[in-house]
Amino acid sequence: MLMWATAVAFPVSLVAVGPLRDSSPSWLQSGAKLVAAISLFALVCLLEFSDGGTDRSHPAA
């Protein structure tokens, strides 16, 4: 559920910061930047967590 929420929030916030920058208020731009950063961090954390905890520093021989 969290992964789907961040997957939706990230592109929506990028659209608010990118192409709609001129027509959006300043509080929305700052909020969209914050949402983009938090959702990107959450996606990276979820991808790392879903790796299964395997240790790649010692590959199987």
Side-chain angles (χ1 to χ4, degrees), residues 45-58:
C45 289
L46 286 169
L47 288 174
E48 287 292 322
F49 182 71
S50 68
D51 190 24
T54 57
D55 186 9
R56 295 181 186 244
S57 62
H58 300 292

Side-chain angles (χ1 to χ4, degrees), residues 3 7 14 17 27 32 48 54:
M3 185 168 175
L14 286 181
V17 172
W27 61 267
E48 287 292 322
T54 57

